[in-house]
Amino acid sequence: MSIFTQCLNPLTGTVTWEEKDEQYDYHQEVARSAFADMLHDSERNQKYYAAIKAAIKNKHKIGEEANVLDIGTGTGLLSMMAAKCGADSITACEAFTPMAKCAIKIIQENGFEDKIKLVHKRSTKMTIGKDGDLIKKANILVTEVFDTELIGEGALSTFRHAHEHLLEKNSIVVPHTATVWVQVVESSAVCAWNTIHPIQHKNTCLLKIPHSIKSCSGAAAVHDIQLTQFPYDTFKPLLPPQPIFRFNLASKLLFYDETNCLRVKAIESGTAHAIFMWWDLIMDVNNEVLLSCAPVWEHPDAKILQSKGISLDAIADVIPWRDHWMQAIYYLPVETPVIAGNEVSLIGYHDEYSLWFQLINESIKKIPDCERPICSCSVHVAYCRTRIGQLNDHMRNKKYIEALEKKVTSDTVCLCLTDGSLLGLAAIKLGAKKIFILETNFLSRKCIEMFVETNRLSEKVHIIKSVENLPSESEINLIFGEPYFITSIVPWENLYFWYLASKYSPQIQRLPIAATLMGVIVEFKDLHNIRAPLGICEGFDLSIFDKLIQTSSDKSDSPVEAQPLWEYPAKALSLPFIIKKFDLLQNVNEYKSVNISSAVPILESGTCNGVALWVDWHLDSEITVSSGPTAEVQPGKRISWDRYTRQGVHLFKDIAHVTQQSIVSCSFNFVPQHGNIKFDFHILSKSMK
């Protein structure tokens, strides 16, 4: 049985009815709960295993039973580890219904149904007693309730409640302690994701920044990032890494609201822009098992390898990769100058779920109050970080301005079809007579209105709130787009520009004039693990979990997803190939349906696990802006990707080793009238072509 669901088509901008599985929402929730990359993290698994074994051994050594409570068991992996290590009793709880049912089957499949009791509840709802979920309190707690921010999933309340209601005194907790580390840095590249800078051209400021944006402290949401992939030459550490919060998870004295002030001597002079954050766990009571989430240049294992003369680039290939626990960037509310050798006050704050920081360029006697930063200017709510970075991309802006300069005259009346286009406003400063800007999103429109007011452009800028109110054909002579739309996820969904522009005659000048959909066959070093099946994990069969996730993913997920590929190393196995070039001067509604099949030759042996996809926008016959690689792609070499866009990624379910005798078949289907785009890729040998 099927249901019909209203969906926005980002290509056409129309709302349509789509037929979905009657349990579509359920399958979507299950697919999103996938944490296979975490279970592929062998270091995490092995260190949990070692700490669980040590905890059970310690309890038995002093003549006590080892009664284990596993909170948020997921697949039941940690509970099965405890069973294998000889725990006397094990109670696991899991609140998410599909996962609880899956865990029961996995536990049975692995032969532990008589040793592990699974409770389908949140730990905060568990009861103790003869007829309760636990007959008596546990004396070993095992749990993994951490996120990139450590405490963002409610870890503090989970541990505190367990100590108060579910654990005996002197219980052993795995992990034992957690430490949050911070490092203050100067980095214009980091700032580009948070603060919009003026648009400069030929030593002239084309667009000033409103004060409300310059003074805004930024988004409240944490900026999670793979810092190991952030180029070392794009930031300068101003302070040595500091442990700013330590949480004794084995104690009930876990506070929801804390502040801590560190007085630290600066190691470099510069302007403090942001704070890099990561955390580590001491897994056992003897402080012998350390699990670190540090970026490569501060990872404890890397320091050992560096002392042996191994380069950071080589070390990055052996340090454990994690997508479930990344590092984070926190933007300081005020950029602060520091001088090498001088002492500064680094202040950390946290509530039950979040961290935030400030830096004061002097010693202080009293820690000042500081509210958690939230966006007050709307920019950080309206636009994602990659879009803010895109707005600050000088080379990208330069290309668009050069293309505009060729088109704009004193008689130009421009229609800008892009959300939040500062370059559209810049067209006025380049001499345009007037500009219409389509802004259907309320927050984006509010941002543009601030720029119009600050730059005194109100007499020449007319903001349009809906597609129905677009100007007539006789009122404009240039259609401009970057293109970027808030509703677009993968790069080709920005072809919405084409659909909007097609409301006008092809005789009206356009910029860009064409778009090329591109691809390259790749070997991802790690990214494929977010979808890779687990099979056997630390000796336990988790294939039931694989089937659950795959079944739901097949029913709810697109085969192509968006990823910021600069964070995920990939080696090219082919040359870039053209899938389809679109002539944006044509009317999309008169464009014939496209069905293309081609074969892409593999030019480098390797493990073929994905296809990367992007769009090149041709502003004119000479200027192209790409949302893909930033340097020439060479088979066998790592690809350098644009940091300010997300690319499309197709991950192969059946990963294969390929050679120069292999090909990848590519099929592409596009129905312009309905805005439907489909891809299909298969790995073949040349003999199967």
Side-chain angles (χ1 to χ4, degrees), residues 156-169:
L156 293 178
S157 58
T158 297
F159 281 99
R160 202 160 99 171
H161 178 271
H163 279 294
E164 291 173 352
H165 301 283
L166 305 175
L167 298 177
E168 296 178 354
K169 290 182 179 179

Side-chain angles (χ1 to χ4, degrees), residues 182-199:
V182 290
Q183 185 171 33
V184 178
V185 300
E186 175 185 86
S187 175
S188 58
V190 164
C191 285
W193 281 309
N194 190 60
T195 304
I196 297 179
H197 303 304
I199 294 181

Side-chain angles (χ1 to χ4, degrees), residues 115 137 164 225 280 323 351 440 680:
K115 297 182 179 180
K137 291 183 176 181
E164 291 173 352
I225 189 172
D280 63 32
D323 209 45
D351 57 20
T440 59
D680 195 18

Side-chain angles (χ1 to χ4, degrees), residues 284-298:
D284 64 320
V285 295
N286 296 323
N287 297 330
E288 293 175 348
V289 183
L290 171 68
L291 191 157
S292 174
C293 293
V296 64
W297 67 84
E298 288 298 336

Side-chain angles (χ1 to χ4, degrees), residues 577-595:
F577 57 93
I578 295 174
I579 297 174
K580 178 63 180 176
K581 186 171 183 177
F582 302 102
D583 182 357
L584 304 185
L585 300 179
Q586 288 189 337
N587 189 317
V588 67
N589 300 304
E590 298 174 2
Y591 213 78
K592 294 181 179 179
S593 296
V594 178
N595 284 286

Side-chain angles (χ1 to χ4, degrees), residues 211-268:
H211 175 73
S212 60
I213 294 176
K214 290 192 288 186
S215 61
C216 181
S217 56
V222 64
H223 185 181
D224 51 346
I225 189 172
Q226 295 282 1
L227 275 181
T228 290
Q229 303 307 322
F230 196 56
Y232 311 135
D233 60 358
T234 55
F235 66 94
K236 178 169 69 173
L238 301 180
L239 303 183
Q242 301 292 315
I244 196 160
F245 288 115
R246 284 195 171 95
F247 300 98
N248 182 359
L249 304 177
S251 168
K252 65 174 62 176
L253 299 176
L254 292 169
F255 302 103
Y256 294 156
D257 299 287
E258 287 184 296
T259 61
N260 189 24
C261 179
L262 304 177
R263 293 175 175 84
V264 189
K265 282 188 178 181
I267 55 175
E268 292 279 358

Side-chain angles (χ1 to χ4, degrees), residues 38-53:
M38 180 178 72
L39 294 169
H40 279 293
D41 183 351
S42 58
E43 186 199 37
R44 165 201 174 270
N45 297 340
Q46 290 164 12
K47 290 189 172 180
Y48 260 97
Y49 212 159
I52 290 169
K53 183 177 181 179

Side-chain angles (χ1 to χ4, degrees), residues 34 61 100 146 157 215 283:
K61 190 174 181 180
F146 310 112
S157 58
S215 61
M283 304 299 295

